[in-house]
Amino acid sequence: MEQKIGRFIDPLSDFGFKRLFGSEPQKDILIDFLNQLFLGQKEIADLTYSPTEYAGDTDKIKKVFFDLHCTGKNGEKFIIEMQKAEQRNFKDRAVFYTSRLINEQLPKGESHWNIKLDELYLIAVLEFKFKNGSPDRYLHNIALTNTDTHEIFYNKLGYKFLELPNFVKTEEELETDLDRWFYLLKNMSQLEKIPAVLNKRIFQQVFKIAELSNLTKEEKAMYDSSLKAKWDYENSIAFAEERGIEKGREEGMEKGMEKGIEKGIEKGKYDVAIEMKKEGITNSQIAKFTKLPIEVIEKL
């Protein structure tokens, strides 16, 4: 798989995603992105960044880590996730993530049900196609509905899945700012100049932040490590697909692919962590980008 570093950072790498959308001084970028997603549904006037790590009430309840978690001016909560490849229980995880934040809203020891919940939305940027999905749909709006009347049953919980592989519009075909956001996310790392169709203040701001030459030495090292992790992951997927085909003849396609993916991803994480340590990046930063336990990183 041929890969190269372009003029602009890859917004679908962990570093690139957080640099563009996870910075408090540049939060107007995330606000604009969300407002285009929720156009006609709601308008976000302001955001504050919230904790991305939530532990369970007991040691037996799994700790969760969000890519980004923000709270709107009116108390509405947004989880923004980036998903590189489909996992067997991806939809279950999406529901579990929202349920954790719903649970967080309940005061401990409350004996009467008199709680008014805040709005809660999960937005997932997907680099894969849903299995058995529709090839012409690249935005999925999910809500609790009455299956008989198709009316919204509960309008304070929703999921938005951005299926990037299905977005195939060219520059000339972009009509809305949401189209432009899709195009930017999917193509920015391959661009050598800013397209005229993206000549708008918010997109100019994005490209300025994403300019590779504007990164500090430490940021460049972190980006290189993040990009390597992404490429290792993609290569692991490609390798797993090849091995899955071979093993599928003997053991079944799904089992072979799953084993290959898990093995390749785990090795890639350790390789990236080692490279980041060589660059002098702190253990806490390495843990943040690789999702490896800090105790493991300390021993590398």
Side-chain angles (χ1 to χ4, degrees), residues 31-32 34-35 38 42-47 72-73 76 78:
I31 291 173
D32 186 89
L34 292 176
N35 276 329
F38 287 88
K42 67 187 291 85
E43 184 173 354
I44 297 95
D46 195 12
L47 286 174
K73 189 175 182 180
E76 65 271 54
F78 303 93

Side-chain angles (χ1 to χ4, degrees), residues 262-278:
E262 290 177 356
K263 184 176 180 180
I265 292 171
E266 199 61 28
K267 183 180 184 301
K269 286 182 178 180
Y270 282 91
D271 290 343
V272 169
I274 291 170
E275 290 300 319
M276 292 179 79
K277 290 197 77 167
K278 289 179 181 177

Side-chain angles (χ1 to χ4, degrees), residues 98-262:
T98 53
S99 69
R100 178 57 61 84
L101 286 191
I102 291 172
N103 182 65
E104 287 285 328
Q105 298 180 47
L106 304 179
K108 301 294 186 292
E110 184 67 47
S111 58
H112 299 286
W113 183 259
N114 59 358
I115 307 301
K116 183 178 180 181
L117 297 175
D118 295 322
E119 295 177 38
L120 175 58
Y121 305 95
L122 184 143
I123 297 99
V125 180
L126 312 177
E127 290 190 74
F128 63 88
K129 293 187 177 185
F130 278 128
K131 187 177 181 180
N132 301 322
S134 175
D136 60 342
R137 295 199 65 83
Y138 49 84
L139 177 60
H140 305 269
N141 290 296
I142 312 297
L144 292 176
T145 62
N146 183 315
T147 57
D148 294 323
T149 64
H150 302 293
E151 295 178 347
I152 301 294
F153 168 74
Y154 185 73
N155 64 358
K156 294 164 66 176
L157 175 66
Y159 304 83
K160 292 182 182 292
F161 299 116
L162 286 64
E163 201 171 348
L164 289 184
N166 285 347
F167 185 82
V168 295
K169 289 187 178 181
T170 63
E171 288 184 37
E172 295 74 22
E173 295 172 321
L174 304 181
E175 298 177 354
T176 67
D177 278 350
L178 185 57
D179 281 349
R180 296 178 181 92
W181 269 115
F182 267 92
Y183 184 85
L184 183 146
L185 287 171
K186 186 172 181 179
N187 297 290
M188 186 170 73
S189 64
Q190 303 166 29
L191 299 175
E192 291 302 324
K193 63 179 182 179
I194 303 174
V197 72
L198 297 181
N199 188 23
K200 185 180 177 182
R201 187 195 65 81
I202 195 67
F203 296 121
Q204 289 177 342
Q205 184 178 349
V206 170
F207 279 106
K208 182 177 180 180
I209 296 171
E211 186 89 44
L212 203 61
S213 61
N214 289 335
L215 300 183
T216 65
K217 183 178 179 180
E218 183 183 29
E219 289 170 342
K220 180 64 165 56
M222 292 175 67
Y223 174 60
D224 288 345
S225 297
S226 178
L227 200 59
K228 183 178 184 301
K230 182 175 187 290
W231 288 350
D232 284 348
Y233 189 94
E234 291 171 349
N235 287 331
S236 296
I237 295 296
F239 172 75
E241 288 175 347
E242 294 176 6
R243 290 297 302 273
I245 292 172
E246 295 174 8
K247 295 180 73 66
R249 297 190 182 101
E250 302 173 3
E251 302 174 9
M253 172 76 77
E254 185 174 343
K255 184 179 179 181
M257 286 184 65
E258 182 178 1
K259 186 176 181 181
I261 289 172
E262 290 177 356

Side-chain angles (χ1 to χ4, degrees), residues 57-76:
D57 293 334
T58 68
D59 292 339
K60 293 183 179 180
I61 300 178
K62 183 177 176 62
K63 183 184 293 186
V64 298
F65 297 88
F66 308 135
D67 287 336
L68 286 178
H69 172 209
C70 302
T71 302
K73 189 175 182 180
N74 297 318
E76 65 271 54

Side-chain angles (χ1 to χ4, degrees), residues 275-290:
E275 290 300 319
M276 292 179 79
K277 290 197 77 167
K278 289 179 181 177
E279 295 290 340
I281 298 171
T282 65
N283 290 339
S284 60
Q285 288 175 316
I286 296 173
K288 178 180 178 182
F289 282 98
T290 64

